[in-house]
PDB file of all heavy atoms in Angstrom:
ATOM      1  N   SER A 225     -14.992  28.645   3.010  1.00 61.00           N
ATOM      2  CA  SER A 225     -15.626  27.488   3.701  1.00 61.00           C
ATOM      3  C   SER A 225     -16.507  26.685   2.779  1.00 61.00           C
ATOM      4  O   SER A 225     -16.683  25.490   2.993  1.00 61.00           O
ATOM      5  CB  SER A 225     -16.471  28.009   4.877  1.00 61.00           C
ATOM      6  OG  SER A 225     -17.466  28.890   4.473  1.00 61.00           O
ATOM      7  N   VAL A 226     -17.066  27.297   1.793  1.00 60.00           N
ATOM      8  CA  VAL A 226     -17.900  26.570   0.839  1.00 60.00           C
ATOM      9  C   VAL A 226     -17.173  26.521  -0.505  1.00 60.00           C
ATOM     10  O   VAL A 226     -16.939  27.546  -1.106  1.00 60.00           O
ATOM     11  CB  VAL A 226     -19.277  27.236   0.640  1.00 60.00           C
ATOM     12  CG1 VAL A 226     -20.106  26.501  -0.400  1.00 60.00           C
ATOM     13  CG2 VAL A 226     -19.999  27.298   1.975  1.00 60.00           C
ATOM     14  N   VAL A 227     -16.783  25.301  -0.922  1.00 60.00           N
ATOM     15  CA  VAL A 227     -15.977  25.175  -2.119  1.00 60.00           C
ATOM     16  C   VAL A 227     -16.571  24.177  -3.104  1.00 60.00           C
ATOM     17  O   VAL A 227     -16.402  23.006  -3.003  1.00 60.00           O
ATOM     18  CB  VAL A 227     -14.567  24.697  -1.757  1.00 60.00           C
ATOM     19  CG1 VAL A 227     -13.664  24.633  -2.974  1.00 60.00           C
ATOM     20  CG2 VAL A 227     -13.948  25.626  -0.693  1.00 60.00           C
ATOM     21  N   PRO A 228     -17.349  24.668  -4.063  1.00 58.00           N
ATOM     22  CA  PRO A 228     -17.882  23.771  -5.104  1.00 58.00           C
ATOM     23  C   PRO A 228     -16.811  23.518  -6.155  1.00 58.00           C
ATOM     24  O   PRO A 228     -16.011  24.402  -6.461  1.00 58.00           O
ATOM     25  CB  PRO A 228     -19.050  24.578  -5.654  1.00 58.00           C
ATOM     26  CG  PRO A 228     -18.625  25.998  -5.458  1.00 58.00           C
ATOM     27  CD  PRO A 228     -17.800  26.035  -4.181  1.00 58.00           C
ATOM     28  N   PHE A 229     -16.828  22.376  -6.766  1.00 62.00           N
ATOM     29  CA  PHE A 229     -15.830  22.116  -7.855  1.00 62.00           C
ATOM     30  C   PHE A 229     -16.306  21.375  -9.042  1.00 62.00           C
ATOM     31  O   PHE A 229     -15.664  21.309 -10.019  1.00 62.00           O
ATOM     32  CB  PHE A 229     -14.579  21.487  -7.310  1.00 62.00           C
ATOM     33  CG  PHE A 229     -14.760  20.271  -6.424  1.00 62.00           C
ATOM     34  CD1 PHE A 229     -14.573  19.022  -6.952  1.00 62.00           C
ATOM     35  CD2 PHE A 229     -15.102  20.420  -5.116  1.00 62.00           C
ATOM     36  CE1 PHE A 229     -14.720  17.897  -6.153  1.00 62.00           C
ATOM     37  CE2 PHE A 229     -15.280  19.299  -4.310  1.00 62.00           C
ATOM     38  CZ  PHE A 229     -15.063  18.027  -4.825  1.00 62.00           C
ATOM     39  N   LEU A 230     -17.508  20.813  -9.009  1.00 66.00           N
ATOM     40  CA  LEU A 230     -18.084  20.259 -10.234  1.00 66.00           C
ATOM     41  C   LEU A 230     -19.603  20.230 -10.028  1.00 66.00           C
ATOM     42  O   LEU A 230     -20.045  19.837  -9.004  1.00 66.00           O
ATOM     43  CB  LEU A 230     -17.578  18.867 -10.564  1.00 66.00           C
ATOM     44  CG  LEU A 230     -18.224  18.249 -11.830  1.00 66.00           C
ATOM     45  CD1 LEU A 230     -17.712  18.941 -13.070  1.00 66.00           C
ATOM     46  CD2 LEU A 230     -17.923  16.746 -11.882  1.00 66.00           C
ATOM     47  N   ALA A 231     -20.365  20.610 -11.046  1.00 64.00           N
ATOM     48  CA  ALA A 231     -21.790  20.555 -10.901  1.00 64.00           C
ATOM     49  C   ALA A 231     -22.466  20.100 -12.201  1.00 64.00           C
ATOM     50  O   ALA A 231     -21.995  20.376 -13.284  1.00 64.00           O
ATOM     51  CB  ALA A 231     -22.354  21.916 -10.527  1.00 64.00           C
ATOM     52  N   PHE A 232     -23.561  19.389 -12.034  1.00 62.00           N
ATOM     53  CA  PHE A 232     -24.507  19.141 -13.114  1.00 62.00           C
ATOM     54  C   PHE A 232     -25.837  19.755 -12.646  1.00 62.00           C
ATOM     55  O   PHE A 232     -26.466  19.245 -11.757  1.00 62.00           O
ATOM     56  CB  PHE A 232     -24.672  17.623 -13.349  1.00 62.00           C
ATOM     57  CG  PHE A 232     -23.425  16.943 -13.835  1.00 62.00           C
ATOM     58  CD1 PHE A 232     -22.569  16.320 -12.940  1.00 62.00           C
ATOM     59  CD2 PHE A 232     -23.131  16.903 -15.208  1.00 62.00           C
ATOM     60  CE1 PHE A 232     -21.450  15.660 -13.385  1.00 62.00           C
ATOM     61  CE2 PHE A 232     -21.982  16.258 -15.632  1.00 62.00           C
ATOM     62  CZ  PHE A 232     -21.163  15.631 -14.732  1.00 62.00           C
ATOM     63  N   GLY A 233     -26.232  20.852 -13.254  1.00 55.00           N
ATOM     64  CA  GLY A 233     -27.442  21.513 -12.857  1.00 55.00           C
ATOM     65  C   GLY A 233     -28.581  21.320 -13.861  1.00 55.00           C
ATOM     66  O   GLY A 233     -28.417  21.631 -15.043  1.00 55.00           O
ATOM     67  N   ALA A 234     -29.717  20.810 -13.399  1.00 45.00           N
ATOM     68  CA  ALA A 234     -30.802  20.541 -14.318  1.00 45.00           C
ATOM     69  C   ALA A 234     -31.765  21.695 -14.490  1.00 45.00           C
ATOM     70  O   ALA A 234     -32.632  21.637 -15.341  1.00 45.00           O
ATOM     71  CB  ALA A 234     -31.604  19.321 -13.812  1.00 45.00           C
ATOM     72  N   GLY A 235     -31.646  22.730 -13.690  1.00 43.00           N
ATOM     73  CA  GLY A 235     -32.483  23.921 -13.857  1.00 43.00           C
ATOM     74  C   GLY A 235     -33.934  23.742 -13.486  1.00 43.00           C
ATOM     75  O   GLY A 235     -34.802  24.333 -14.127  1.00 43.00           O
ATOM     76  N   ILE A 236     -34.231  22.897 -12.496  1.00 40.00           N
ATOM     77  CA  ILE A 236     -35.573  22.697 -12.026  1.00 40.00           C
ATOM     78  C   ILE A 236     -35.738  23.140 -10.592  1.00 40.00           C
ATOM     79  O   ILE A 236     -34.735  23.276  -9.860  1.00 40.00           O
ATOM     80  CB  ILE A 236     -36.002  21.207 -12.152  1.00 40.00           C
ATOM     81  CG1 ILE A 236     -34.966  20.340 -11.486  1.00 40.00           C
ATOM     82  CG2 ILE A 236     -36.183  20.808 -13.612  1.00 40.00           C
ATOM     83  CD1 ILE A 236     -35.303  18.843 -11.529  1.00 40.00           C
ATOM     84  N   SER A 237     -36.943  23.393 -10.185  1.00 41.00           N
ATOM     85  CA  SER A 237     -37.177  24.097  -8.870  1.00 41.00           C
ATOM     86  C   SER A 237     -37.217  23.111  -7.705  1.00 41.00           C
ATOM     87  O   SER A 237     -38.253  22.898  -7.094  1.00 41.00           O
ATOM     88  CB  SER A 237     -38.437  24.895  -8.936  1.00 41.00           C
ATOM     89  OG  SER A 237     -39.551  24.102  -9.304  1.00 41.00           O
ATOM     90  N   THR A 238     -36.115  22.505  -7.416  1.00 47.00           N
ATOM     91  CA  THR A 238     -35.937  21.710  -6.213  1.00 47.00           C
ATOM     92  C   THR A 238     -34.738  22.266  -5.481  1.00 47.00           C
ATOM     93  O   THR A 238     -34.050  23.143  -5.905  1.00 47.00           O
ATOM     94  CB  THR A 238     -35.743  20.240  -6.535  1.00 47.00           C
ATOM     95  OG1 THR A 238     -34.638  20.104  -7.445  1.00 47.00           O
ATOM     96  CG2 THR A 238     -36.971  19.634  -7.162  1.00 47.00           C
ATOM     97  N   SER A 239     -34.477  21.738  -4.275  1.00 51.00           N
ATOM     98  CA  SER A 239     -33.414  22.294  -3.443  1.00 51.00           C
ATOM     99  C   SER A 239     -32.092  22.289  -4.167  1.00 51.00           C
ATOM    100  O   SER A 239     -31.333  23.239  -4.089  1.00 51.00           O
ATOM    101  CB  SER A 239     -33.334  21.503  -2.145  1.00 51.00           C
ATOM    102  OG  SER A 239     -34.535  21.614  -1.411  1.00 51.00           O
ATOM    103  N   TYR A 240     -31.753  21.143  -4.801  1.00 48.00           N
ATOM    104  CA  TYR A 240     -30.513  21.064  -5.558  1.00 48.00           C
ATOM    105  C   TYR A 240     -30.882  20.641  -6.974  1.00 48.00           C
ATOM    106  O   TYR A 240     -31.429  19.581  -7.180  1.00 48.00           O
ATOM    107  CB  TYR A 240     -29.587  20.061  -4.926  1.00 48.00           C
ATOM    108  CG  TYR A 240     -29.199  20.375  -3.525  1.00 48.00           C
ATOM    109  CD1 TYR A 240     -29.771  19.685  -2.433  1.00 48.00           C
ATOM    110  CD2 TYR A 240     -28.281  21.378  -3.219  1.00 48.00           C
ATOM    111  CE1 TYR A 240     -29.450  20.005  -1.127  1.00 48.00           C
ATOM    112  CE2 TYR A 240     -27.925  21.684  -1.946  1.00 48.00           C
ATOM    113  CZ  TYR A 240     -28.543  20.979  -0.879  1.00 48.00           C
ATOM    114  OH  TYR A 240     -28.183  21.273   0.392  1.00 48.00           O
ATOM    115  N   THR A 241     -30.538  21.441  -7.930  1.00 49.00           N
ATOM    116  CA  THR A 241     -30.960  21.205  -9.306  1.00 49.00           C
ATOM    117  C   THR A 241     -29.956  20.359 -10.075  1.00 49.00           C
ATOM    118  O   THR A 241     -29.407  20.802 -11.082  1.00 49.00           O
ATOM    119  CB  THR A 241     -31.185  22.533 -10.020  1.00 49.00           C
ATOM    120  OG1 THR A 241     -29.939  23.224 -10.036  1.00 49.00           O
ATOM    121  CG2 THR A 241     -32.215  23.367  -9.309  1.00 49.00           C
ATOM    122  N   GLY A 242     -29.660  19.203  -9.622  1.00 60.00           N
ATOM    123  CA  GLY A 242     -28.720  18.328 -10.268  1.00 60.00           C
ATOM    124  C   GLY A 242     -27.747  17.740  -9.296  1.00 60.00           C
ATOM    125  O   GLY A 242     -28.084  17.409  -8.186  1.00 60.00           O
ATOM    126  N   MET A 243     -26.489  17.647  -9.684  1.00 68.00           N
ATOM    127  CA  MET A 243     -25.468  17.064  -8.856  1.00 68.00           C
ATOM    128  C   MET A 243     -24.337  18.032  -8.651  1.00 68.00           C
ATOM    129  O   MET A 243     -23.897  18.682  -9.574  1.00 68.00           O
ATOM    130  CB  MET A 243     -24.912  15.770  -9.475  1.00 68.00           C
ATOM    131  CG  MET A 243     -23.868  15.078  -8.618  1.00 68.00           C
ATOM    132  SD  MET A 243     -23.217  13.619  -9.430  1.00 68.00           S
ATOM    133  CE  MET A 243     -22.194  14.354 -10.716  1.00 68.00           C
ATOM    134  N   ALA A 244     -23.828  18.113  -7.391  1.00 70.00           N
ATOM    135  CA  ALA A 244     -22.726  18.999  -7.119  1.00 70.00           C
ATOM    136  C   ALA A 244     -21.844  18.349  -6.040  1.00 70.00           C
ATOM    137  O   ALA A 244     -22.375  17.899  -5.015  1.00 70.00           O
ATOM    138  CB  ALA A 244     -23.169  20.379  -6.668  1.00 70.00           C
ATOM    139  N   PHE A 245     -20.553  18.343  -6.224  1.00 73.00           N
ATOM    140  CA  PHE A 245     -19.597  17.999  -5.153  1.00 73.00           C
ATOM    141  C   PHE A 245     -19.179  19.289  -4.516  1.00 73.00           C
ATOM    142  O   PHE A 245     -18.830  20.255  -5.196  1.00 73.00           O
ATOM    143  CB  PHE A 245     -18.353  17.282  -5.753  1.00 73.00           C
ATOM    144  CG  PHE A 245     -18.620  16.055  -6.571  1.00 73.00           C
ATOM    145  CD1 PHE A 245     -18.681  16.130  -7.931  1.00 73.00           C
ATOM    146  CD2 PHE A 245     -18.834  14.877  -5.919  1.00 73.00           C
ATOM    147  CE1 PHE A 245     -18.930  14.988  -8.664  1.00 73.00           C
ATOM    148  CE2 PHE A 245     -19.040  13.721  -6.659  1.00 73.00           C
ATOM    149  CZ  PHE A 245     -19.103  13.792  -8.060  1.00 73.00           C
ATOM    150  N   ARG A 246     -19.144  19.316  -3.204  1.00 72.00           N
ATOM    151  CA  ARG A 246     -18.723  20.515  -2.538  1.00 72.00           C
ATOM    152  C   ARG A 246     -18.177  20.215  -1.150  1.00 72.00           C
ATOM    153  O   ARG A 246     -18.489  19.187  -0.566  1.00 72.00           O
ATOM    154  CB  ARG A 246     -19.833  21.573  -2.434  1.00 72.00           C
ATOM    155  CG  ARG A 246     -20.952  21.162  -1.450  1.00 72.00           C
ATOM    156  CD  ARG A 246     -21.817  22.370  -1.179  1.00 72.00           C
ATOM    157  NE  ARG A 246     -22.929  22.023  -0.259  1.00 72.00           N
ATOM    158  CZ  ARG A 246     -23.657  22.949   0.369  1.00 72.00           C
ATOM    159  NH1 ARG A 246     -23.444  24.203   0.184  1.00 72.00           N
ATOM    160  NH2 ARG A 246     -24.624  22.576   1.172  1.00 72.00           N
ATOM    161  N   HIS A 247     -17.348  21.147  -0.652  1.00 70.00           N
ATOM    162  CA  HIS A 247     -16.896  21.105   0.763  1.00 70.00           C
ATOM    163  C   HIS A 247     -17.656  22.186   1.412  1.00 70.00           C
ATOM    164  O   HIS A 247     -17.636  23.375   1.022  1.00 70.00           O
ATOM    165  CB  HIS A 247     -15.398  21.378   0.791  1.00 70.00           C
ATOM    166  CG  HIS A 247     -14.924  21.915   2.134  1.00 70.00           C
ATOM    167  ND1 HIS A 247     -13.987  22.870   2.279  1.00 70.00           N
ATOM    168  CD2 HIS A 247     -15.274  21.588   3.398  1.00 70.00           C
ATOM    169  CE1 HIS A 247     -13.781  23.163   3.537  1.00 70.00           C
ATOM    170  NE2 HIS A 247     -14.534  22.357   4.225  1.00 70.00           N
ATOM    171  N   SER A 248     -18.400  21.876   2.483  1.00 67.00           N
ATOM    172  CA  SER A 248     -19.188  22.813   3.217  1.00 67.00           C
ATOM    173  C   SER A 248     -18.642  22.952   4.633  1.00 67.00           C
ATOM    174  O   SER A 248     -18.207  21.993   5.221  1.00 67.00           O
ATOM    175  CB  SER A 248     -20.667  22.380   3.259  1.00 67.00           C
ATOM    176  OG  SER A 248     -21.398  23.093   4.208  1.00 67.00           O
ATOM    177  N   SER A 249     -18.779  24.169   5.197  1.00 63.00           N
ATOM    178  CA  SER A 249     -18.274  24.369   6.551  1.00 63.00           C
ATOM    179  C   SER A 249     -19.100  23.593   7.559  1.00 63.00           C
ATOM    180  O   SER A 249     -18.613  23.272   8.652  1.00 63.00           O
ATOM    181  CB  SER A 249     -18.349  25.866   6.859  1.00 63.00           C
ATOM    182  OG  SER A 249     -19.687  26.364   6.727  1.00 63.00           O
ATOM    183  N   THR A 250     -20.327  23.245   7.210  1.00 66.00           N
ATOM    184  CA  THR A 250     -21.188  22.503   8.128  1.00 66.00           C
ATOM    185  C   THR A 250     -21.214  21.008   7.839  1.00 66.00           C
ATOM    186  O   THR A 250     -21.423  20.206   8.733  1.00 66.00           O
ATOM    187  CB  THR A 250     -22.622  23.053   8.096  1.00 66.00           C
ATOM    188  OG1 THR A 250     -23.104  22.972   6.727  1.00 66.00           O
ATOM    189  CG2 THR A 250     -22.679  24.497   8.546  1.00 66.00           C
ATOM    190  N   SER A 251     -20.996  20.638   6.632  1.00 71.00           N
ATOM    191  CA  SER A 251     -21.114  19.229   6.221  1.00 71.00           C
ATOM    192  C   SER A 251     -19.817  18.483   6.080  1.00 71.00           C
ATOM    193  O   SER A 251     -19.806  17.271   5.981  1.00 71.00           O
ATOM    194  CB  SER A 251     -21.899  19.135   4.889  1.00 71.00           C
ATOM    195  OG  SER A 251     -23.139  19.762   5.029  1.00 71.00           O
ATOM    196  N   GLY A 252     -18.683  19.230   6.068  1.00 77.00           N
ATOM    197  CA  GLY A 252     -17.413  18.554   5.763  1.00 77.00           C
ATOM    198  C   GLY A 252     -17.296  18.404   4.243  1.00 77.00           C
ATOM    199  O   GLY A 252     -16.742  19.179   3.538  1.00 77.00           O
ATOM    200  N   ILE A 253     -17.829  17.270   3.737  1.00 81.00           N
ATOM    201  CA  ILE A 253     -17.912  17.040   2.315  1.00 81.00           C
ATOM    202  C   ILE A 253     -19.296  16.592   1.952  1.00 81.00           C
ATOM    203  O   ILE A 253     -19.902  15.750   2.666  1.00 81.00           O
ATOM    204  CB  ILE A 253     -16.879  15.981   1.836  1.00 81.00           C
ATOM    205  CG1 ILE A 253     -15.473  16.486   2.096  1.00 81.00           C
ATOM    206  CG2 ILE A 253     -17.072  15.615   0.381  1.00 81.00           C
ATOM    207  CD1 ILE A 253     -14.383  15.487   1.782  1.00 81.00           C
ATOM    208  N   GLN A 254     -19.869  17.167   0.920  1.00 78.00           N
ATOM    209  CA  GLN A 254     -21.268  16.875   0.568  1.00 78.00           C
ATOM    210  C   GLN A 254     -21.414  16.651  -0.936  1.00 78.00           C
ATOM    211  O   GLN A 254     -20.842  17.379  -1.723  1.00 78.00           O
ATOM    212  CB  GLN A 254     -22.195  18.018   1.007  1.00 78.00           C
ATOM    213  CG  GLN A 254     -23.655  17.809   0.681  1.00 78.00           C
ATOM    214  CD  GLN A 254     -24.518  18.913   1.211  1.00 78.00           C
ATOM    215  OE1 GLN A 254     -24.015  19.943   1.763  1.00 78.00           O
ATOM    216  NE2 GLN A 254     -25.806  18.773   1.083  1.00 78.00           N
ATOM    217  N   LEU A 255     -22.138  15.644  -1.294  1.00 79.00           N
ATOM    218  CA  LEU A 255     -22.546  15.395  -2.676  1.00 79.00           C
ATOM    219  C   LEU A 255     -24.030  15.504  -2.702  1.00 79.00           C
ATOM    220  O   LEU A 255     -24.764  14.765  -2.045  1.00 79.00           O
ATOM    221  CB  LEU A 255     -22.098  13.982  -3.146  1.00 79.00           C
ATOM    222  CG  LEU A 255     -22.627  13.491  -4.448  1.00 79.00           C
ATOM    223  CD1 LEU A 255     -22.206  14.373  -5.597  1.00 79.00           C
ATOM    224  CD2 LEU A 255     -22.131  12.065  -4.693  1.00 79.00           C
ATOM    225  N   SER A 256     -24.555  16.475  -3.451  1.00 74.00           N
ATOM    226  CA  SER A 256     -25.990  16.745  -3.467  1.00 74.00           C
ATOM    227  C   SER A 256     -26.518  16.528  -4.850  1.00 74.00           C
ATOM    228  O   SER A 256     -25.875  16.752  -5.848  1.00 74.00           O
ATOM    229  CB  SER A 256     -26.257  18.207  -3.052  1.00 74.00           C
ATOM    230  OG  SER A 256     -25.683  18.491  -1.828  1.00 74.00           O
ATOM    231  N   GLY A 257     -27.809  16.128  -4.958  1.00 70.00           N
ATOM    232  CA  GLY A 257     -28.402  15.941  -6.205  1.00 70.00           C
ATOM    233  C   GLY A 257     -29.911  15.860  -6.081  1.00 70.00           C
ATOM    234  O   GLY A 257     -30.471  15.582  -5.083  1.00 70.00           O
ATOM    235  N   SER A 258     -30.621  16.136  -7.218  1.00 64.00           N
ATOM    236  CA  SER A 258     -32.047  16.011  -7.241  1.00 64.00           C
ATOM    237  C   SER A 258     -32.568  15.829  -8.645  1.00 64.00           C
ATOM    238  O   SER A 258     -31.867  16.111  -9.639  1.00 64.00           O
ATOM    239  CB  SER A 258     -32.684  17.271  -6.614  1.00 64.00           C
ATOM    240  OG  SER A 258     -32.500  18.392  -7.444  1.00 64.00           O
ATOM    241  N   ASP A 259     -33.788  15.381  -8.747  1.00 58.00           N
ATOM    242  CA  ASP A 259     -34.490  15.359 -10.004  1.00 58.00           C
ATOM    243  C   ASP A 259     -35.846  15.994  -9.782  1.00 58.00           C
ATOM    244  O   ASP A 259     -36.043  16.722  -8.783  1.00 58.00           O
ATOM    245  CB  ASP A 259     -34.630  13.943 -10.575  1.00 58.00           C
ATOM    246  CG  ASP A 259     -35.396  13.014  -9.652  1.00 58.00           C
ATOM    247  OD1 ASP A 259     -36.062  13.515  -8.695  1.00 58.00           O
ATOM    248  OD2 ASP A 259     -35.319  11.787  -9.862  1.00 58.00           O
TER     249      ASP A 259
END
Side-chain angles (χ1 to χ4, degrees):
S225 60
V226 178
V227 183
F229 50 101
L230 178 71
F232 295 95
I236 52 179
S237 55
T238 54
S239 298
Y240 301 103
T241 62
M243 182 181 73
F245 302 98
R246 69 167 179 164
H247 158 221
S248 166
S249 58
T250 57
S251 302
I253 296 176
Q254 180 176 5
L255 170 61
S256 305
S258 69
D259 61 15

